[in-house]
Amino acid sequence: MSKTSVLSFLLCILLCFISQQCMFTSAAQGSWALLQENIGIAAMHMQLLNNDRVIMFDRTDFGPPNLSLPNGNCRNDPNDRTLKVDCTAHSIEYNVLSNTFRALTVQTDVWCSSGAVMANGMPNGLAAARWYASDHILPDGRMIIVGGRRQFNYEFYPKNTAPGLFSLPFSSETNDRGVENNLYPFVHLNVDGNVFIFANNRAILLDYVNKVVVKTYPMIPGAEARSYPSTGSSVLLPLKNIQAPNVHAEVLICGGGANGSYTQSLKKKFLPALETCARINITDPNPRWVMETMPLRRVMGDMILLPDGSVLIINGAASAGLVRDGRVLVAGSNPHAYYNFTGVLYPTELRLEAFSPEYLNPTFDNIRPTIVAPVNQGILYYGQKQKVRFSCPGPVIQNQVEVALVAPPFVTHSFSQNQRLLVLGNNRIIVLRNNYYDVEATMPPSPILAPSGFYLMYMIHQGIPSQGIWINLKGH
Ligand SMILES: *[C@@H]1O[C@H](CO)[C@@H](O)[C@H](O)[C@H]1NC(C)=O
Ligand SMILES: *[C@@H]1O[C@H](CO)[C@@H](O)[C@H](O)[C@H]1NC(C)=O
Ligand SMILES: *[C@@H]1O[C@H](CO)[C@@H](O)[C@H](O)[C@H]1NC(C)=O
Ligand SMILES: *[C@@H]1O[C@H](CO)[C@@H](O)[C@H](O)[C@H]1NC(C)=O
């Protein structure tokens, strides 16, 4: 099988939420472009930064990738199982605007770690030796790191108390059936300030301030595991009416492995992936899962919140991340224990591709808005009313304009940590001259709804998003 046929494996579907007009539609109207034939590594994690560069990491113990460390640097690690002396790079910085990349000198193994960009824009790695943990930025600016292999606890970064480890029995309870179906838990910051944690087939709501579980959600019907290694995916759906006193928060989980998939796969028996999605209103007093069936079975899908409020599900063991212009980058896929480029059915994937959702099609250029103000990288404060000026070549339909903020996530292993989309309330449009318009949007009221840091701001008109601009959301 050629490399091209691996590509066609990357099928996508869309779930629409803002428009409420469709549930599942094929994303076949979008298009693919090859950005780089060879970025040298198989990107396992991706993080978009506010300078429009994407940091991509791979593990370091897989043998040599196809890229050298800069300036003749080498790394000595007598414990590495393949490369005791390693002069290759396992991470890159990709420049979205110029479509170029450079090797980074990251000298530790970030395999199966988690990460986040702190409010000051710095990417930070792990606080402790954990594999397969998830993290989330908190309203106070710290990061919570949850679970991981044989870590039945959580901690904070940076730490402000010793010893800093807090027990989480839920994490060991979901490590049942002799299989660790509790890895890379799906962690979402709820709108009440508590942290929603899903592992295996269950979820809890954790009050991390008082260190108590305040709610236990029902099990997903069917009792099959959804988190890693069963590898379904999850998003917190777009938050709307965020100025209202009671904001609703709904979580969507799709795919996963049939009961026993992982144990069976070790015996080379492969069970079909799950074809169901489950949705739950995590803010409801009596929350219930609602089940839906996807057009395809999937495992290791990535779920990406798109600026128009739809969720893109990309199949196929890669990592995918939204960039400012609305495209989705897709890279990395390695079905082997090493970098195997020849003589195998599915070679290690070194290509970097971009998926352009249908909204980028030039046929929509006449209704596509362009944000003129605020300026890129501008500072905005909680609750601030901000005039957003935009232009649009064609007529503007007044009640079909939305302003949205998207938090750039850390994309790994089918779960995008810190992914968040908020639809801002906005008032009536003021028509200026020459196809220019003003609309006043109100920033999120508090860091509970949107932890401070960099967000992409999009204007959406008739379902077609503008290019994003970076804004830096801060407290006074
Ligand atoms: C990358 O692959 C190319 C083509 O196979 C090869 O010529 C080059 O030496 C490789 N570079 C590294 C650093 O492995
Ligand atoms: C899943 O498999 C385990 C062991 O193979 C079994 O004990 C359990 O009942 C199964 N659960 C479901 C919901 O089928
Ligand atoms: C969540 O609540 C909204 C608003 O009440 C409703 O439209 C939606 O169907 C609910 N979803 C679930 C999964 O119950
Ligand atoms: C992949 O590469 C490794 C190391 O070079 C080698 O030992 C292994 O046999 C290769 N696997 C396959 C399936 O070719």
Side-chain angles (χ1 to χ4, degrees):
M1 190 179 281
S2 71
K3 274 196 165 189
T4 326
S5 44
V6 181
L7 248 193
S8 56
F9 190 62
L10 297 167
L11 303 163
C12 325
I13 53 170
L14 276 178
L15 280 118
C16 316
F17 289 95
I18 288 190
S19 64
Q20 302 291 359
Q21 275 154 14
C22 62
M23 192 57 206
F24 291 101
T25 51
S26 155
Q29 302 305 313
S31 62
W32 289 95
L34 179 64
L35 300 177
Q36 292 285 341
E37 181 64 45
N38 184 346
I39 54 170
I41 64 163
M44 179 179 273
H45 317 306
M46 264 194 209
Q47 172 75 59
L48 174 66
L49 305 179
N50 69 300
N51 57 7
D52 291 315
R53 308 209 175 172
V54 181
I55 305 290
M56 302 183 192
F57 301 104
D58 195 10
R59 58 193 292 179
T60 56
D61 62 344
F62 253 25
N66 191 241
L67 194 66
S68 298
L69 278 172
N71 310 321
N73 276 311
C74 293
R75 183 178 68 105
N76 293 310
D77 183 356
N79 297 320
D80 192 290
R81 60 191 174 119
T82 52
L83 297 168
K84 313 288 177 211
V85 178
D86 181 8
C87 305
T88 57
H90 303 263
S91 52
I92 64 162
E93 180 196 72
Y94 173 73
N95 184 326
V96 181
L97 305 181
S98 63
N99 186 24
T100 54
F101 66 94
R102 64 185 182 105
L104 293 177
T105 315
V106 176
Q107 306 250 11
T108 51
D109 188 1
V110 293
W111 173 34
C112 302
S113 60
S114 61
V117 178
M118 304 300 267
N120 60 6
M122 291 291 292
N124 270 296
L126 276 184
R130 288 169 192 269
W131 285 347
Y132 308 103
S134 293
D135 70 61
H136 208 292
I137 300 278
L138 296 172
D140 62 10
R142 286 181 304 163
M143 185 164 108
I144 186 170
I145 304 115
V146 181
R149 171 164 281 171
R150 293 188 279 277
Q151 291 286 356
F152 308 127
N153 52 48
Y154 58 97
E155 65 178 285
F156 301 92
Y157 180 86
K159 289 188 200 315
N160 52 9
T161 51
L165 276 187
F166 303 96
S167 130
L168 187 66
F170 171 76
S171 190
S172 55
E173 288 156 17
T174 46
N175 180 31
D176 61 7
R177 307 172 194 174
V179 178
E180 297 168 297
N181 271 316
N182 62 340
L183 305 179
Y184 280 124
F186 303 144
V187 178
H188 302 291
L189 175 63
N190 195 6
V191 293
D192 62 2
N194 295 315
V195 170
F196 174 89
I197 304 171
F198 179 97
N200 197 332
N201 57 6
R202 295 161 253 179
I204 53 167
L205 193 60
L206 175 71
D207 171 350
Y208 65 88
V209 178
N210 297 305
K211 318 284 183 295
V212 286
V213 172
V214 289
K215 193 180 260 186
T216 300
Y217 293 91
M219 273 189 197
I220 289 192
E224 288 113 338
R226 306 276 177 168
S227 52
Y228 194 83
S230 290
T231 323
S233 188
S234 170
V235 284
L236 174 69
L237 291 176
L239 300 173
K240 294 180 250 177
N241 302 321
I242 59 166
Q243 309 298 340
N246 295 307
V247 181
H248 285 288
E250 189 168 358
V251 165
L252 174 71
I253 292 170
C254 288
N259 192 14
S261 293
Y262 183 68
T263 333
Q264 292 296 318
S265 74
L266 299 177
K267 300 175 196 153
K268 303 257 182 252
K269 240 186 102 186
F270 299 100
L271 303 178
L274 300 183
E275 58 189 338
T276 50
C277 289
R279 286 194 291 146
I280 192 165
N281 277 322
I282 63 172
T283 39
D284 269 8
N286 295 303
R288 287 181 41 241
W289 292 100
V290 172
M291 305 300 289
E292 272 132 20
T293 303
M294 295 186 280
L296 287 166
R297 293 175 184 274
R298 54 190 69 231
V299 71
M300 292 200 96
D302 272 282
M303 290 167 80
I304 310 290
L305 285 171
L306 296 180
D308 65 352
S310 58
V311 181
L312 175 70
I313 309 181
I314 296 192
N315 204 25
S319 56
L322 174 73
V323 290
R324 192 159 65 80
D325 62 17
R327 289 176 303 158
V328 173
L329 298 189
V330 182
S333 166
N334 194 355
H336 309 286
Y338 296 96
Y339 290 93
N340 294 88
F341 302 121
T342 53
V344 285
L345 187 57
Y346 297 105
T348 303
E349 188 56 75
L350 298 179
R351 286 175 302 173
L352 176 66
E353 296 167 81
F355 177 69
S356 292
E358 190 183 6
Y359 56 62
L360 287 173
N361 192 310
T363 54
F364 300 117
D365 282 355
N366 202 41
I367 56 172
R368 191 184 314 282
T370 302
I371 298 180
V372 179
V375 292
N376 196 33
Q377 311 283 349
I379 294 174
L380 297 176
Y381 296 97
Y382 290 106
Q384 180 179 338
K385 292 190 192 318
Q386 170 66 40
K387 193 194 289 171
V388 182
R389 182 162 294 177
F390 66 101
S391 66
C392 185
V396 164
I397 300 183
Q398 298 260 349
N399 62 1
Q400 293 211 28
V401 169
E402 305 263 22
V403 182
L405 296 185
V406 181
F410 183 81
V411 182
T412 189
H413 286 76
S414 302
F415 177 56
S416 292
Q417 306 175 11
N418 290 298
Q419 182 164 231
R420 201 170 191 82
L421 189 153
L422 302 103
V423 181
L424 303 181
N426 57 264
N427 65 1
R428 283 185 61 80
I429 290 164
I430 298 162
V431 184
L432 309 171
R433 281 178 300 165
N434 304 329
N435 300 333
Y436 281 84
Y437 304 84
D438 272 350
V439 63
E440 192 181 70
T442 309
M443 292 304 114
S446 78
I448 292 178
L449 281 155
S452 72
F454 286 93
Y455 286 78
L456 285 166
M457 178 189 274
Y458 290 93
M459 167 78 63
I460 301 111
H461 174 229
Q462 294 187 57
I464 303 299
S466 65
Q467 287 216 355
I469 59 159
W470 288 104
I471 66 123
N472 189 354
L473 186 61
K474 284 191 169 177
H476 276 288

